[in-house]
């Protein structure tokens, strides 16, 4: 199975390398312990980096399939992700899944186990693949979830609520693209991230669009990675 990994970066060279290294190790763990095998093809947007991120990435992983897309520093997150996704779409016929990640995360050895457990659950329950958002925990306290999914509760005071891992996938509405898996059949139906977003919000929108199109939009069972909790309270 081929997975197109999509990410965009701007002057976070060491974080980008660390994120990719942890992702490759997770893929190796999966391949060593599963009869199914996965192959990662990375599509990285270098949005005008001045720290030679893309060059150092290629140097660090010389034997990996990494395609660099150059931007001028004005793509921002959503724009950079669309550029990477557009490049990956040139190989769409041989891609099985698209995986959107953020380079400030470190992925657990079990990240791809979580992905495929959730995918198999979707196939068994909904008879189709969908969109799966992985939980990212605070690296200093893995009991605290800082990225993952939200649901919208319509009541007197309508608001969104952060979701927490349970012992099974959960239906959700809003998805974070720190570890976001998209089955290729979803892309066939709704395409990629909306051009209406320049930076944030495009990942939330994508989950809602997939849900509206009739695809299962689920959380993973457990956490897929950790990151620094730099949320402003």
């Amino acid at each position: 199975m081929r997975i197109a990994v999509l990410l965009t970066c701007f002057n976070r060279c060491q974080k980008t390398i660390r994120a990719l290294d942890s992702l490759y190790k997770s893929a190796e763990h999966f391949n060593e312990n599963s009869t199914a095998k996965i192959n990662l093809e990375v599509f990285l947007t270098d949005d005008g980096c001045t720290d030679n991120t893309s060059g150092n990435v290629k140097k660090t992983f010389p034997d990996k399939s990494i395609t660099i897309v150059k931007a001028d520093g004005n793509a921002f997150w959503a724009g950079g992700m669309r550029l990477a996704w557009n490049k990956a779409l040139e190989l769409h016929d041989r891609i099985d899944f698209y995986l959107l990640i953020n380079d400030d995360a470190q992925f657990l050895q079990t990240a791809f186990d979580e992905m495929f457990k959730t995918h198999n659950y979707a196939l068994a329950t909904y008879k189709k693949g969908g969109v799966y958002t992985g939980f990212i925990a605070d690296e200093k306290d893995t009991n605290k979830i800082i990225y993952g999914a939200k649901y919208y509760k319509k009541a007197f005071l309508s608001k969104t609520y952060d979701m927490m891992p349970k012992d099974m996938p959960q239906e959700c509405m809003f998805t974070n693209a720190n570890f976001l898996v998209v089955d290729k059949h979803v892309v066939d139906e709704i395409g990629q991230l909306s051009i209406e977003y320049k930076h944030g919000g495009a990942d939330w929108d994508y989950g809602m669009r997939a849900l509206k199109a009739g695809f299962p939009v689920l959380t993973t069972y457990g956490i897929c990675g950790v990151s620094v909790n730099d949320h402003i309270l």
Side-chain angles (χ1 to χ4, degrees), residues 153-198:
K153 186 174 182 181
K154 188 174 182 180
F156 178 69
L157 294 175
S158 299
K159 61 180 297 186
T160 58
Y161 292 84
D162 293 323
M163 301 180 71
M164 296 293 292
K166 293 186 177 179
D167 54 2
M168 65 180 297
Q170 305 165 71
E171 295 182 350
C172 59
M173 296 180 180
F174 302 106
T175 53
N176 284 133
N178 296 75
F179 187 92
L180 184 65
V181 180
V182 182
D183 186 289
K184 74 174 299 179
H185 297 101
V186 178
V187 181
D188 289 335
E189 182 74 20
I190 70 171
Q192 62 138 308
L193 299 178
S194 171
I195 61 172
E196 299 299 321
Y197 297 86
K198 184 168 185 175

Side-chain angles (χ1 to χ4, degrees), residues 213-227:
F215 291 99
V217 179
L218 305 170
T219 69
T220 54
Y221 286 79
I223 66 174
C224 295
V226 297
S227 185

Side-chain angles (χ1 to χ4, degrees), residues 43-48 54 67-71 80 83-85 87-88:
F43 297 84
L44 168 65
T45 297
D46 181 332
D47 192 20
S54 54
T67 300
I68 304 297
V69 182
K70 291 287 189 176
L83 289 171
W85 206 331
K87 193 64 178 178

Side-chain angles (χ1 to χ4, degrees), residues 106-127:
Q106 294 184 72
F107 303 100
L108 301 186
Q109 199 172 47
T110 53
F112 286 104
D113 299 280
E114 289 287 334
M115 167 184 166
F116 283 102
K117 282 196 303 180
T118 306
H119 180 60
N120 290 335
Y121 175 88
L123 294 179
T125 306
Y126 303 92
K127 311 305 179 188

Side-chain angles (χ1 to χ4, degrees), residues 6-10 12 43-47 71-86 99-105 107 133 147 175-180 182 192-207 209:
L6 314 176
L7 71 158
T8 186
C9 64
F10 179 72
R12 299 201 297 191
F43 297 84
L44 168 65
T45 297
D46 181 332
D47 192 20
D72 63 4
N74 294 301
F76 298 96
W77 183 82
M81 294 300 283
R82 281 193 298 269
L83 289 171
W85 206 331
N86 280 336
L99 172 60
L100 287 67
I101 66 169
N102 196 310
D103 67 358
D104 66 359
F107 303 100
T133 182
Y147 297 109
T175 53
N176 284 133
N178 296 75
F179 187 92
L180 184 65
V182 182
Q192 62 138 308
L193 299 178
S194 171
I195 61 172
E196 299 299 321
Y197 297 86
K198 184 168 185 175
H199 190 55
D203 48 352
W204 284 25
D205 173 76
Y206 198 81
R209 286 166 54 206

Side-chain angles (χ1 to χ4, degrees), residues 50-63:
T50 59
D51 64 353
N52 194 30
T53 296
S54 54
N56 285 316
V57 164
K58 296 283 279 189
K59 183 179 179 180
T60 304
F61 307 107
D63 60 335

